[in-house]
Amino acid sequence: MAKRDQSFEGITQKFSRNIYATNKGRLRLAVLERDLQAWLPQPGNAAKLRVLDVGGGLGQLSMLFAQAGCEVTHTDISAEIVGEAQALHEQHGLAQHYTYHVAPLQGLPELLQQRYDIVLCHAVLEWLVDPQQALVTLKQLMHANGRLSLMFYNRDAKILANIIFGNFDYVQADLSVKKTVRMSPQQPINPNEMRQWLEALQLKVTQRTGVRCFHDYLRNRDDQKRFEELLALELRYNQQSPFVDIGRYLHWQIEHA
């Protein structure tokens, strides 16, 4: 059977429980919010930034920009998830800052017919059949002075975690399994390949952050519940070597070279 891009249509509640409602999801959101503070418009700045959230899921992260008065376009391939995001934004009194579209990443340039000051693309590329081509599309959506916030599932971290937990055969088999797990990213991305793809597109990384540099390696599940302590350690170390490179996800802030 040919591979196809992953959608979470029909399993939104499970998706929310497994990702957003866990300490893993809370850590991820807190790190992104810290990283993106510098991209928010200054108070009193009359120029509204146009922000595009690609594969925006339930739309929590983009609320940071909506609260700052930005015009946000929220997109996702799942109509169910877009509906849940809109409901969340209405609950917080922010829906007037949003435009919503149900569409795949690949169709966005033709659908939207504009470019954006900030493009957000978090935990999307690892669910696609062709993440390299997706980068080409994301660049098309960036304004000439635009910026891209890209977070992707780190293949190196997946190898490390499986070795730590003794899954040697899985690593020797190049992380391949016969049965696909729907809630597990189908294509973790090699950071070296990502660097090459970005260089070929004349895009440069201005800031690198590891996301969940410690949580996923803890053998004691009770330690994974110590959220405030883990978050403090994340924020202290996750932009420093060697910790920046072992995050389960990598968050790269990107501009035109």
Side-chain angles (χ1 to χ4, degrees):
M1 182 181 295
K3 290 183 179 180
R4 61 181 181 179
D5 295 346
Q6 175 72 64
S7 167
F8 295 101
E9 184 75 15
I11 56 171
T12 299
Q13 295 306 315
K14 182 178 181 181
F15 176 78
S16 181
R17 288 194 306 271
N18 286 16
I19 298 177
Y20 295 120
T22 65
N23 275 351
K24 293 190 297 184
R26 293 172 64 204
L27 284 167
R28 192 169 90 178
L29 181 61
V31 169
L32 288 171
E33 288 179 341
R34 186 279 309 272
D35 285 2
L36 293 172
Q37 285 292 326
W39 286 11
L40 297 176
Q42 296 299 311
N45 188 345
K48 288 185 178 180
L49 294 177
R50 291 185 300 177
V51 178
L52 172 64
D53 197 358
V54 179
L58 299 185
Q60 291 102 321
L61 191 278
S62 66
M63 290 196 299
L64 189 70
F65 292 92
Q67 289 163 348
C70 300
E71 299 174 352
V72 185
T73 299
H74 178 101
T75 74
D76 200 279
I77 197 173
S78 165
E80 183 180 49
I81 287 180
V82 171
E84 290 288 333
Q86 187 168 3
L88 178 67
H89 298 153
E90 289 172 352
Q91 179 184 339
H92 284 83
L94 295 170
Q96 71 273 20
H97 295 285
Y98 281 88
T99 302
Y100 300 91
H101 295 281
V102 178
L105 179 152
Q106 297 88 341
L108 292 178
E110 183 176 358
L111 172 68
L112 300 174
Q113 294 290 309
Q114 62 175 310
R115 298 191 177 203
Y116 294 82
D117 302 298
I118 294 173
V119 177
L120 310 174
C121 186
H122 302 141
V124 174
L125 297 194
E126 60 267 20
W127 298 101
L128 305 182
V129 174
D130 191 347
Q132 183 178 6
Q133 184 58 40
L135 277 180
V136 176
T137 303
L138 291 173
K139 183 181 179 181
Q140 292 173 352
L141 294 163
M142 296 168 62
H143 189 273
N145 296 317
R147 292 173 286 188
L148 170 64
S149 173
L150 182 70
M151 186 178 74
F152 59 93
Y153 195 59
N154 180 6
R155 191 176 191 275
D156 290 347
K158 187 169 186 178
I159 291 171
L160 177 59
N162 276 280
I163 291 173
I164 288 173
F165 284 89
N167 300 322
F168 302 155
D169 291 345
Y170 179 50
V171 175
Q172 292 286 11
D174 203 28
L175 306 181
S176 63
V177 293
K178 293 181 179 179
K179 183 178 180 181
T180 300
V181 180
R182 192 174 183 187
M183 296 297 291
S184 180
Q186 65 187 37
Q187 190 156 247
I189 296 174
N190 182 320
N192 287 328
E193 288 188 350
M194 177 62 76
R195 291 187 189 95
Q196 293 169 10
W197 297 344
L198 291 170
E199 288 174 5
L201 290 170
Q202 296 185 307
L203 295 172
K204 65 179 180 180
V205 180
T206 58
Q207 180 64 60
R208 296 164 55 246
T209 303
V211 181
R212 297 205 326 253
C213 297
F214 310 115
H215 174 282
D216 292 27
Y217 303 107
L218 295 172
R219 302 298 296 267
N220 187 335
R221 293 295 181 91
D222 288 335
D223 287 337
Q224 292 183 345
K225 299 175 183 177
R226 297 164 64 181
F227 176 77
E228 295 299 336
E229 293 170 276
L230 278 172
L231 177 59
L233 290 168
E234 281 275 325
L235 298 180
R236 180 175 178 180
Y237 290 110
N238 68 1
Q239 291 180 341
Q240 300 179 27
S241 181
F243 313 108
V244 62
D245 294 317
I246 63 171
R248 178 50 61 96
Y249 288 84
L250 298 178
H251 180 221
W252 290 359
Q253 291 167 260
I254 296 164
E255 299 178 1
H256 293 275

